[in-house]
Amino acid sequence: MRKLDLKGNLFPMAILETQDLHVSVEGKPILNGVELALEEGKVHALMGPNGSGKSTLAFALAGHPDYRITHGRILLAGEDITHLPPDQRAKRGLFLAFQYPPEVEGVKLREFMRLACGDQGHGFCEFQQLYPKAIKHLSMDELADRELNVGFSGGEKKRAELFQAWLLRPKVALLDEPDSGVDVDAFKVIARAIRELAAAGTAVLIITHYPRVLEHVPPARVFVLNEGRITQTGGPELARTIEVEGFKAVQR
Amino acid sequence: MNEKTALKRGLTREVVEEISREKGEPDWMLRLRLRALEIFQRLPMPKFGPDLSEVDLADISYYLRSVEPVASWDELPEEIRKTFDALGLPEAEKEALAGLGAQVDSEVVYRSILKDVRTQGVLFLPMEEAVREHPDLVREHFMRVIPPADNLFAALHGAVWSGGTFVWVPEGVKVEIPLQAYFRMQTQGVGQFEHTLIVAEPGSSVHYIEGCSAPRYTKVVLHSGMVEIVAKEGAHVRFTTIQNWSRNVYNLNNKRAVAHAGARVDWVSGSLGSKVTMLYPTTVLAGPGASTENLGFTFARDGQYLDVGARALHLAPNTSSRLVSRSVIQGDAKAVFRGKVYVAKNARGAKGHVECSTLLLSPQAKTETIPVLDAENDEVELAHEATVGRISKDHLFYLMSRGLTEQEALSLIVNGFVSPILKEIPLEYALELKRLLEISFEGAVG
Ligand SMILES: Nc1ncnc2c1ncn2[C@@H]1O[C@H](COP(=O)(O)OP(=O)(O)OP(=O)(O)O)[C@@H](O)[C@H]1O
Ligand SMILES: [Mg+2]
């Protein structure tokens, strides 16, 4: 059932929604009731101190088997995906750009993306046509023929993650610190790609420590995660308050 | 089966004489066989590696001519022809090869060579024909690279060898596309002992590929082939093997090359089949500046014991070797890698590199890496790396988070792991190997 506001208008429907999400890692509770709603075509930001559980939330949403959902639900386009394996979530349009993308030896980016496009089959990724475009757009020429993330610099890894998101055109893109360790030029490329994703309808969640990225990609909403719960929600001004005054200032 | 060309089981002087008579061999070859037999009778079984007690040398048929040689594929018995068709041999012959030989049981049944290659003076012959028609070329090298006394199976091979190929490349001739041999053990209880001798004259080059298979029988059977390579000054020989014997085969081979000054010998070995394999392709770097690359890919599955390795013996200055192995082990299989680099006293400036990585796909998989780096002078650069690992959960999750199924993701990871070797294998085989790697991955993730 869709919610109505006080004036009786429909709330815009969230493409991704979590309800009272509790997540444990190795038996240790990390998230304690996260409520989050992401809207189509909008940029959202998730901020919070180190260790507050931002990456944990991202992994749990994407279905990492070590991140156990002990309570609550995840809805993607209204469908309960709480217990789906990661590939099933991806096929339904969920994408996670990793904070620390792993280096997979011997696997070529092209082959990987060809399989990914084939599997997603949600119609957005026309591999033959989009791949060369994406390579150019994200300045990936020199990285495309190398082994997947192997020996990539920190910034190159981030660019490669955004490249994949841009190519796969997901419904929801969770970007875990897409800006960390990225130089000025690469940053512009990444920021542009994020804006384009949102413009094409993707619901974007940027996890970040730096309001800089939010100036280039203005978020509709900023969430603050603290000790495993969303403690604040606001507009872009919330990011600036955090920058100036720290997380203490926005804690309840 | 033709009764008169099947010999009784077991190994006796009479059997050896009969093989020689059947082939119409010159006397020197018969004497070589009998000397090898004598040596065989006093050598012990190998003192390392797998248990070979199941191989009953008295219960093997050492020679069987089951199929008469033919000039075209159509003339082969239907069962054999179908097998070769399924393997894509006639197609490969047309499209990608300079020459092709096919052996069934003890004898070569089909052979062809491109006219261009023949007119360059290249010889590509069944071994028996070479013994009869080019005795001087053959005799100079035959079982000189690996003498019968080297080990029990070298001696056995010397006594009963049958079939195989002789390749001779004249000085300066470069054979641009590969020559290929295919070995099929077709008949239950018959061992296969083909002999391959490649002589590359100075400045020449050749790529030789061999593949092998057998239908599966319940009884174990022995394959003990021998490959001898002589690469003269500045020659380049590349020898690729894709071994996919059925799981009742004991595959105990001897492969060795001598690389003279400035020559290069490359071994590429894919070991997938057999019940037990012992295989240690060796390059003797005999002349200054000689080099070798020895790439091995081993895929051991349930019940298999693949004991493989690579050896480089540096006997001259400024020689170099690179031994690389990738093993994937599934179920309760075992794979062993023995990497040996020996540097003699006078081989100053030698460089050797041994690299061995193993991927375990199950908790029961067993592996061992046994490197031996032995230098008798100080002016050498030797390096050794070994890793053993399992498929990382995080890698798997990463690939699956892009929509790849678990099976696709695992295949991609395993293929990626072996890619340093796979990319050295001719495309047609690489595709076949990729297919063989699409396996069940139960319990593979660590
Ligand atoms: N695989 C794991 N094993 C053990 N503890 C974990 C694991 N993953 C996360 N944690 C713990 O969960 C907590 C939240 O970690 P998480 O990585 O989600 O934080 P974060 O908000 O992304 O931090 P950062 O800003 O530093 O990236 C931390 O205390 C962390 O140590
Ligand atoms: Mg994090």
Side-chain angles (χ1 to χ4, degrees):
Chain A
M1 254 239 322
R2 295 183 62 181
K3 295 172 192 166
L4 303 180
D5 68 12
L6 292 173
K7 292 183 190 134
N9 297 320
L10 277 174
F11 269 111
M13 180 152 120
I15 180 84
L16 184 85
E17 197 179 340
T18 68
Q19 297 173 345
D20 196 22
L21 198 67
H22 290 246
V23 174
S24 292
V25 185
E26 291 181 352
K28 190 176 121 197
I30 308 288
L31 301 182
N32 315 299
V34 172
E35 302 271 347
L36 188 77
L38 306 182
E39 286 168 34
E40 257 173 72
K42 294 213 167 126
V43 174
H44 313 71
L46 179 66
M47 304 185 76
N50 293 133
S52 57
K54 302 181 297 298
S55 296
T56 299
L57 177 59
F59 278 139
L61 292 174
H64 193 301
D66 286 351
Y67 293 73
R68 251 175 36 83
I69 296 170
T70 53
H71 188 80
R73 301 201 299 165
I74 305 168
L75 302 178
L76 178 62
E79 184 190 3
D80 187 342
I81 60 162
T82 316
H83 299 292
L84 285 185
D87 55 321
Q88 291 296 326
R89 301 181 193 208
K91 282 188 179 84
R92 285 164 174 72
L94 188 70
F95 181 93
L96 168 61
F98 284 50
Q99 183 175 1
Y100 304 109
E103 308 195 356
V104 192
E105 277 175 24
V107 173
K108 293 283 164 60
L109 187 59
R110 188 187 161 85
E111 164 92 346
F112 178 37
M113 283 299 103
R114 195 180 51 73
L115 284 168
C117 282
D119 277 326
Q120 301 235 329
H122 51 73
F124 295 116
C125 182
E126 302 282 354
F127 182 73
Q128 297 300 348
Q129 199 198 338
L130 257 182
Y131 184 83
K133 244 197 213 162
I135 288 283
K136 238 178 104 203
H137 204 61
L138 276 292
S139 313
M140 289 289 294
D141 304 86
E142 270 143 48
L143 300 174
D145 291 327
R146 293 194 14 208
E147 296 174 36
L148 187 52
N149 298 325
V150 177
F152 285 19
S153 74
E156 286 170 343
K157 283 182 180 163
K158 301 286 162 160
R159 189 142 46 87
E161 290 293 281
L162 246 298
F163 160 80
Q164 294 176 35
W166 199 87
L167 178 64
L168 294 172
R169 299 297 160 102
K171 288 201 181 90
V172 177
L174 311 169
L175 310 176
D176 196 352
E177 303 199 11
D179 52 338
S180 303
V182 170
D183 71 35
V184 198
D185 294 335
F187 179 77
K188 282 187 188 144
V189 170
I190 286 174
R192 185 184 62 193
I194 298 174
R195 284 195 305 269
E196 289 165 348
L197 274 176
T202 299
V204 177
L205 179 69
I206 302 176
I207 298 174
T208 184
H209 291 290
Y210 308 105
R212 174 183 74 157
V213 65
L214 304 178
E215 272 155 34
H216 289 81
V217 192
R221 284 202 122 12
V222 176
F223 306 102
V224 177
L225 187 69
N226 216 335
E227 291 174 5
R229 248 183 248 262
I230 304 285
T231 51
Q232 279 278 337
T233 304
E237 74 290 344
L238 185 53
R240 279 188 289 276
T241 314
I242 290 168
E243 182 170 44
V244 180
E245 301 176 31
F247 285 111
K248 287 239 157 52
V250 297
Q251 264 166 36
R252 267 192 281 194
Chain B
M1 192 201 302
N2 186 339
E3 284 304 320
K4 77 174 193 296
T5 49
L7 297 190
K8 65 176 195 287
R9 289 165 193 276
L11 186 55
T12 60
R13 191 184 165 100
E14 290 69 48
V15 165
V16 172
E17 284 170 344
E18 182 115 21
I19 292 173
S20 185
R21 194 162 37 233
E22 176 72 25
K23 293 177 183 300
E25 280 176 357
D27 198 42
W28 64 268
M29 182 55 84
L30 174 60
R31 284 201 313 270
L32 188 151
R33 287 183 185 275
L34 293 174
R35 190 164 53 85
L37 178 65
E38 259 170 51
I39 294 169
F40 165 75
Q41 281 157 348
R42 53 185 164 76
L43 283 178
M45 285 294 244
K47 291 193 174 59
F48 63 95
D51 176 12
L52 302 178
S53 57
E54 199 186 5
V55 181
D56 182 358
L57 295 174
D59 193 33
I60 289 173
S61 292
Y62 286 92
Y63 181 82
L64 172 69
R65 184 196 290 166
S66 54
V67 176
E68 292 301 319
V70 295
S72 82
W73 294 110
D74 308 337
E75 298 166 50
L76 286 170
E78 182 164 344
E79 189 192 353
I80 300 285
R81 201 188 63 229
K82 277 194 178 146
T83 304
F84 286 161
D85 275 347
L87 291 162
L89 290 183
E91 216 175 285
E93 178 192 29
K94 267 184 254 150
E95 283 163 19
L97 297 172
L100 175 64
Q103 174 161 348
V104 178
D105 293 326
S106 301
E107 295 283 351
V108 174
V109 298
Y110 177 84
R111 183 193 57 91
S112 71
I113 179 169
L114 282 187
K115 201 159 155 253
D116 289 357
V117 179
R118 203 176 44 214
T119 51
Q120 284 180 303
V122 174
L123 298 179
F124 176 62
L125 302 170
M127 203 64 227
E128 286 79 358
E129 197 177 321
V131 168
R132 285 194 303 269
E133 285 165 28
H134 303 275
D136 296 341
L137 274 178
V138 174
R139 198 173 174 181
E140 187 185 344
H141 302 292
F142 194 96
M143 294 209 76
R144 298 278 168 94
V145 179
I146 310 175
D150 197 87
N151 64 73
L152 180 83
F153 289 97
L156 175 68
H157 176 94
V160 300
W161 76 267
S162 183
T165 314
F166 176 66
V167 177
W168 182 76
V169 189
E171 185 160 352
V173 169
K174 302 200 186 307
V175 185
E176 305 286 349
I177 46 177
L179 296 168
Q180 188 184 330
Y182 200 89
F183 301 101
R184 178 88 182 157
M185 287 166 80
Q186 186 68 17
T187 309
Q188 160 125 265
V190 179
Q192 195 174 58
F193 307 92
E194 84 287 348
H195 194 104
T196 301
L197 172 59
I198 298 175
V199 180
E201 294 293 333
S204 67
S205 75
V206 65
H207 182 187
Y208 187 91
I209 305 170
E210 60 172 23
C212 31
S213 68
R216 179 163 191 172
Y217 292 117
T218 46
K219 208 172 128 184
V220 303
V221 67
L222 176 62
H223 173 263
S224 188
M226 183 178 286
V227 175
E228 299 183 287
I229 296 173
V230 179
K232 297 194 183 169
E233 291 69 26
H236 182 186
V237 179
R238 188 176 179 83
F239 195 98
T240 300
T241 305
I242 310 296
Q243 181 271 105
N244 194 22
W245 293 121
S246 58
R247 309 282 188 86
N248 59 319
V249 174
Y250 275 73
N251 179 46
L252 314 174
N253 287 307
N254 280 285
K255 291 186 177 176
R256 193 175 300 170
V258 178
H260 292 283
R264 172 171 175 167
V265 174
D266 297 329
W267 299 98
V268 180
S269 313
S271 298
L272 294 106
S274 82
K275 174 170 188 175
V276 169
T277 280
M278 294 178 81
L279 173 69
Y280 320 100
T282 300
T283 306
V284 181
L285 299 159
S291 65
T292 189
E293 192 164 69
N294 201 320
L295 308 176
F297 157 54
T298 303
F299 179 30
R301 283 163 286 185
D302 261 324
Q304 289 183 295
Y305 186 160
L306 306 182
D307 198 297
V308 301
R311 299 186 190 125
L313 312 178
H314 296 252
L315 306 185
N318 302 318
T319 43
S320 67
S321 63
R322 190 168 162 261
L323 320 181
V324 180
S325 156
R326 289 281 188 279
S327 308
V328 178
I329 314 176
Q330 193 196 31
D332 66 354
K334 176 167 181 173
V336 175
F337 178 76
R338 302 169 195 273
K340 176 170 179 170
V341 176
Y342 166 79
V343 182
K345 205 162 183 142
N346 68 321
R348 296 188 192 286
K351 285 189 187 133
H353 174 90
V354 184
E355 183 189 318
C356 164
S357 308
T358 305
L359 187 60
L360 303 175
L361 295 187
S362 82
Q364 303 83 36
K366 292 175 285 290
T367 185
E368 230 178 301
T369 303
I370 304 166
V372 179
L373 303 180
D374 180 8
E376 296 192 5
N377 80 66
D378 301 333
E379 293 165 47
V380 297
E381 272 175 50
L382 298 184
H384 170 253
E385 280 172 48
T387 61
V388 178
R390 311 200 52 199
I391 290 179
S392 133
K393 240 188 212 173
D394 290 324
H395 288 192
L396 185 65
F397 171 65
Y398 182 64
L399 301 189
M400 287 179 73
S401 78
R402 304 302 190 244
L404 275 65
T405 63
E406 185 168 358
Q407 184 76 23
E408 283 173 329
L410 290 168
S411 278
L412 200 58
I413 291 170
V414 172
N415 274 301
F417 172 76
V418 300
S419 69
I421 314 289
L422 233 48
K423 69 171 195 267
E424 300 296 331
I425 290 176
L427 188 66
E428 311 87 282
Y429 284 100
L431 292 176
E432 170 79 2
L433 285 179
K434 274 194 155 181
R435 206 176 50 73
L436 290 168
L437 278 169
E438 277 161 20
I439 35 172
S440 133
F441 288 102
E442 215 139 301
V445 182

